Amino acid sequence: MNAIDTFDAGVFRRIAGRRSLDPRLPMDIAACRPHVVVLGELILDGWWSGSIDRLCREAPVPVFDVLNREYSPGGGANTAVNLAALGAKVSLLGLIGDDDGGRLLRRLLTEAGVGTRGVITVPGLRTQSKTRLSSEDQLLLRFDDGARRRAGTAETLLLGQAQGEMVAVAREVLPDSRAVVVCDYGQELLPLGLASELRSWAPQNPMFVVDAHDASRWAPLEPDLVTPNAAEAARLAGRDVETDRRVDWAREVAPIILSRTRSRNVVVTLDREGTVLVESAGAAEGAAQAHRTWAHPVPNKQASGGGDTFVAALTVAAASGLPLRLSADLAQVAADVAVHRPGTAVCSLRDLSDRLSDIPGKVVDPGTLMREVSVARAHGLRIVLTNGVFDVLHRGHTSYLEQAKELGDVLVVAVNGDESTRRLKGEGRPVNRLEDRTALLASLRCVDYITVFHSDTPIPLIEALRPDVYAKGGDYQAGSLEEAPVVERCGGRVVILDYVPDYSTSAVVRRIKSRR
């Protein structure tokens, strides 16, 4: 039974109707089960842990005693494994060596449910591997093995034959695919000539995603999406990364990347700062058309493959019918799951569902908030605090909350209780009760924690939390805030954000009343 037979058009339409991160989405994707083809350069990731407690006799260097060896599919193989874990039917196309590493990689892929008929063994080629050594949770060294393409006549002939076998399988599996992901890391093992031919082999016009060190190499494919990281985006745009404003920089260089890669859309991945999606339809209209996703960074240096998880989740979501922006939001959640785990981690549908179901956990009492912030601060993360009533959530609120998030790593929103709101705003307020106000805020990806305070000012909370940044909307002035000296005394700084004119809860309420 092929992917067309198993694809449920009714489920596809239901998924396409989603407009928010619903915990039911992963199960809908499972029912949809889109067929995704991965054309990739394949890597075997090794994670060796051990101890160091003596020096070598031969030289003054430490001796690493290996205690445990673990291996995982990496590179394009990791993308394929994540796709399978996220509910896709996966056909993998790539080359491996006729060696122990290649045989192990094939076995791991098969166990993960990835179709490996298009994984071709090349005699004389060493399988690319990346092995990390760590001791007591500290990464010490990574050593890479495996040759790139070699120039010898015999090797070139064998490689050409293997690529021919891979192309033959591609012709068979592409016709019923709903998405194709190209994972090109510069090993020079993928035949670039396919770039101008792949679309002609896929009559269903699947989504083509290029995740490459140099996506311009695949411009003849005219991909639907390219996913460079910051360094790759800089090379494509010919502009150095502006490290103090990477998000704005990504928005600015996106049109150049779209032009160079001939892609319809681009997502620039920025690690702890999330991602920036720019769709070609809105690129000419300026940076305001960009869509930002928010990461939940971790200090764990032993995590690898978060980008592969992001690409896999975005692809399977879009192939199942989700709008691209919502697919990017879902992919960010999946990447957050992966980077919170050691090694080359994978996010499954169950992981994704559990994380989405945890959204109400954003609303915490002050005691829980202090514990969570203490852990975040111990890991070097910056804490941003803002507060307000948030009675009728509008564009002014969402704009300034997104700006506030950009000032640090963890955004805490303190919300006035109902009685506090009534004292502050007068009778008839709040329009929406506290539970509704906090639930709406919890649905925003830029918000990490929400807590409620019942005093007339947030000063007690500021003194307890000691935020690195205290942010307020542009309708305030720092000199008029009685909280300002308290923030500064606690070692933080006050930031007044941009004002969005004509947007306020009072104005919204007046407009509603005037139309009765």
Side-chain angles (χ1 to χ4, degrees), residues 20-70:
S20 63
L21 289 178
D22 190 318
R24 295 170 294 178
L25 269 175
M27 295 306 105
D28 282 347
I29 291 172
C32 196
R33 200 174 182 237
H35 179 201
V36 181
V37 175
V38 178
L39 173 64
E41 293 181 325
L42 313 182
I43 300 171
L44 178 65
D45 277 352
W47 297 87
W48 294 12
S49 59
S51 63
I52 297 177
D53 54 19
R54 69 188 192 280
L55 293 177
C56 175
R57 286 186 175 184
E58 295 85 353
V61 296
V63 174
F64 182 85
D65 286 317
V66 178
L67 301 177
N68 186 50
R69 295 181 179 90
E70 293 184 1

Side-chain angles (χ1 to χ4, degrees), residues 256-394:
I256 305 173
I257 296 170
L258 290 171
S259 175
R260 284 214 60 201
T261 61
R262 294 166 63 184
S263 178
R264 293 173 174 80
N265 309 282
V266 57
V267 175
V268 181
T269 58
L270 300 171
D271 302 313
R272 65 186 294 145
E273 292 173 277
T275 71
V276 175
L277 164 67
V278 175
E279 298 165 275
S280 59
E285 301 174 30
Q289 297 301 311
H291 177 70
R292 170 86 185 273
T293 71
W294 305 91
H296 293 275
V298 290
N300 185 3
K301 301 302 182 185
Q302 295 194 51
S304 178
D308 300 331
T309 302
F310 180 89
V311 170
L314 189 153
T315 300
V316 75
S320 297
L322 278 186
L324 195 54
R325 293 189 174 203
L326 192 52
S327 297
D329 287 336
L330 192 70
Q332 184 66 71
V333 176
D336 288 343
V337 170
V339 300
H340 279 75
R341 295 171 171 170
T344 308
V346 173
C347 176
S348 69
L349 282 175
R350 174 53 60 190
D351 296 329
L352 202 51
S353 182
D354 290 346
R355 180 60 65 92
L356 292 175
S357 299
D358 193 42
I359 287 179
K362 288 183 178 183
V363 184
V364 295
D365 60 74
T368 302
L369 176 64
M370 296 307 163
R371 289 193 296 273
E372 293 290 325
V373 166
S374 177
V375 172
R377 184 168 277 134
H379 288 154
L381 304 184
R382 295 163 297 169
I383 310 302
V384 181
L385 172 67
T386 190
N387 69 281
V389 172
F390 302 100
D391 196 357
V392 179
L393 201 63
H394 52 70

Side-chain angles (χ1 to χ4, degrees), residues 226 228-242 245-261 266-268 270 276 278 283 286-287 290:
V226 293
N229 59 30
E232 293 161 353
R235 290 194 293 270
L236 285 168
R239 287 176 51 178
D240 291 339
V241 180
E242 298 181 25
R245 53 185 299 273
R246 292 203 306 170
V247 173
D248 290 336
W249 172 86
R251 294 185 182 115
E252 292 165 7
V253 302
I256 305 173
I257 296 170
L258 290 171
S259 175
R260 284 214 60 201
T261 61
V266 57
V267 175
V268 181
L270 300 171
V276 175
V278 175

Side-chain angles (χ1 to χ4, degrees), residues 7-273:
F7 192 80
D8 190 325
V11 173
F12 182 91
R13 286 191 292 272
R14 184 166 74 246
I15 296 177
R18 303 278 196 221
R19 289 296 180 267
S20 63
L21 289 178
D22 190 318
R24 295 170 294 178
L25 269 175
M27 295 306 105
D28 282 347
I29 291 172
C32 196
R33 200 174 182 237
H35 179 201
V36 181
V37 175
V38 178
L39 173 64
E41 293 181 325
L42 313 182
I43 300 171
L44 178 65
D45 277 352
W47 297 87
W48 294 12
S49 59
S51 63
I52 297 177
D53 54 19
R54 69 188 192 280
L55 293 177
C56 175
R57 286 186 175 184
E58 295 85 353
V61 296
V63 174
F64 182 85
D65 286 317
V66 178
L67 301 177
N68 186 50
R69 295 181 179 90
E70 293 184 1
Y71 293 93
S72 307
N78 185 40
T79 300
V81 168
N82 271 276
L83 281 162
L86 290 165
K89 172 190 174 184
V90 184
S91 298
L92 179 59
L93 310 171
L95 306 179
I96 57 174
D98 186 14
D99 54 9
D100 289 342
R103 286 184 281 275
L104 175 57
L105 181 53
R106 184 185 294 277
R107 177 170 65 79
L108 293 171
L109 288 165
T110 302
E111 290 173 353
V114 174
T116 60
R117 192 161 61 90
V119 177
I120 309 300
T121 299
V122 185
L125 183 75
R126 291 204 311 277
T127 301
Q128 180 79 4
S129 66
K130 297 181 179 181
T131 304
R132 289 90 168 168
L133 305 185
S134 65
S135 178
E136 296 182 351
D137 296 325
Q138 176 64 50
L139 189 61
L140 304 175
L141 177 71
R142 190 188 91 183
F143 60 90
D144 295 358
D145 189 20
R148 292 188 177 197
R149 174 178 180 168
R150 293 177 292 181
T153 303
E155 291 82 2
T156 300
L157 180 62
L158 289 171
L159 182 64
Q161 291 173 344
Q163 288 177 338
E165 294 179 46
M166 185 174 67
V167 168
V169 177
R171 286 179 176 273
E172 294 180 28
V173 298
L174 277 169
D176 67 359
S177 63
R178 297 201 66 86
V180 178
V181 184
V182 176
C183 302
D184 178 5
Y185 310 120
Q187 295 178 19
E188 301 179 16
L189 295 177
L190 298 180
L192 286 175
L194 289 181
S196 59
E197 298 186 63
L198 287 176
R199 283 193 180 274
S200 65
W201 300 344
Q204 286 198 90
N205 193 28
M207 177 184 184
F208 282 88
V209 179
V210 172
D211 180 24
H213 284 351
D214 181 4
S216 66
R217 286 157 47 98
W218 296 88
L221 178 60
E222 297 186 355
D224 297 281
L225 178 70
V226 293
T227 61
N229 59 30
E232 293 161 353
R235 290 194 293 270
L236 285 168
R239 287 176 51 178
D240 291 339
V241 180
E242 298 181 25
T243 54
D244 59 339
R245 53 185 299 273
R246 292 203 306 170
V247 173
D248 290 336
W249 172 86
R251 294 185 182 115
E252 292 165 7
V253 302
I256 305 173
I257 296 170
L258 290 171
S259 175
R260 284 214 60 201
T261 61
R262 294 166 63 184
S263 178
R264 293 173 174 80
N265 309 282
V266 57
V267 175
V268 181
T269 58
L270 300 171
D271 302 313
R272 65 186 294 145
E273 292 173 277

